[in-house]
Amino acid sequence: MFDPLLAEVQNRGRQFTVYEGEEDTGIPSQFATHAVSVRREKLPAGGPAPFVVIEEDDEFAGALPVDELQKLLEPPIVRPGEREDVSEGFGVLFDVLDDTVFTAMNRRQLLGVSREIEDRATRVGTGTLRASFQNRSRLEPQIELYRYLASHTDLDIHIYGIDPDDAPAIPGVTYQRGEQLDRYWSLAFDGGGDESQSCALVAREQSGGYDGFWTYDPGLVEEILATLVSCDGS
């Protein structure tokens, strides 16, 4: 179902070059579970503070200090405009950091990303939120959260992977079986009319955890929403 989209994102050709001194910045290990090529270059003694150069498809995309990059990667993952302590002008660079495929993430880490998307949908309060939970047991711990979303917002909420006849009754929530989604954990919010608020997560269950990506790119979010809509009535 989402495999072609995962392959498309994985083949985007991101490269990070980390310029650092004698002290290890830890940046390469932070991206060890992402589909990003990372290489190191040594800075001379007395040189500038460590920084990262980002390329996409062999073209320069930008550069930023390591300490700024580390702030951007602190959970929950947030855009630069939502942090007062990040300099202006990093929006484009953060777009490059979006949509990098991760591997071997566990459920706890994915819950952290999911919470950021659900919190954003709650703050906006309108629009469409679509989520797939693989099966009812995966939904059970989230039932009260979705009761709250349905009763305290004007969100149009669709939950996939649950048989409607076996689903907990939540006024304002529509259930879809979505049998083709049993390998995927996905969550997508259309931004409620403001594409700058749109965001999504797609994760595919593997033997060692999950691989996938999260994104704030409106085009990718729309693709994910459309994929889920194609499962309506299945």
Side-chain angles (χ1 to χ4, degrees):
M1 177 59 64
F2 283 112
D3 288 6
L5 188 57
L6 284 164
E8 174 191 331
V9 172
Q10 191 161 20
N11 291 328
R12 290 195 169 181
R14 270 77 182 262
Q15 161 116 16
F16 290 4
T17 302
V18 184
Y19 291 84
E20 58 189 4
E22 294 301 320
E23 186 175 346
D24 184 357
T25 62
I27 293 296
S29 62
Q30 283 183 276
F31 284 92
T33 59
H34 286 67
V36 175
S37 174
V38 182
R39 66 187 180 92
R40 282 188 170 111
E41 294 287 348
K42 283 293 183 185
L43 290 169
F51 64 96
V52 178
V53 171
I54 303 170
E55 296 173 280
E56 185 168 12
D57 295 328
D58 297 322
E59 293 188 4
F60 176 78
L64 69 166
V66 164
D67 59 352
E68 296 281 12
L69 176 57
Q70 288 171 332
K71 289 177 184 177
L72 291 175
L73 297 175
E74 291 171 3
I77 307 300
V78 294
R79 298 188 68 82
E82 296 167 0
R83 301 187 64 133
E84 295 180 355
D85 58 343
V86 176
S87 303
E88 294 182 5
F90 286 111
V92 173
L93 294 178
F94 194 69
D95 286 340
V96 176
L97 301 179
D98 286 353
D99 319 329
T100 57
V101 171
F102 56 76
T103 60
M105 285 188 75
N106 58 40
R107 288 184 57 77
R108 181 175 174 275
Q109 292 168 312
L110 289 177
L111 275 171
V113 179
S114 296
R115 285 289 176 269
E116 201 276 330
I117 296 172
E118 290 156 349
D119 287 349
R120 178 174 295 205
T122 302
R123 293 193 300 271
V124 174
T126 61
T128 300
L129 180 68
R130 298 181 185 272
S132 64
F133 282 93
Q134 299 180 281
N135 54 56
R136 175 163 176 156
S137 67
R138 299 286 171 85
L139 171 64
E140 290 286 352
Q142 316 305 323
I143 288 175
E144 290 309 310
L145 169 63
Y146 277 82
R147 287 191 195 280
Y148 179 88
L149 288 172
S151 62
H152 287 74
T153 72
D154 292 323
L155 289 166
D156 181 18
I157 302 171
H158 297 255
I159 292 179
Y160 297 79
I162 314 294
D163 187 330
D165 295 331
D166 185 43
I170 304 177
V173 171
T174 302
Y175 292 97
Q176 308 285 352
R177 287 186 178 85
E179 285 89 351
Q180 300 176 72
L181 294 167
D182 58 355
R183 294 178 58 209
Y184 303 97
W185 177 335
S186 60
L187 186 62
F189 173 52
D190 69 358
D194 180 356
E195 67 176 21
S196 71
Q197 295 294 327
S198 64
C199 49
L201 162 72
V202 172
R204 175 177 53 194
E205 188 168 21
Q206 307 280 46
S207 59
Y210 290 83
D211 62 4
F213 64 94
W214 58 81
T215 182
Y216 297 88
D217 179 271
L220 268 179
V221 172
E222 182 58 35
E223 285 191 62
I224 294 164
L225 287 165
T227 300
L228 289 169
V229 168
S230 72
C231 296
D232 286 357
S234 63

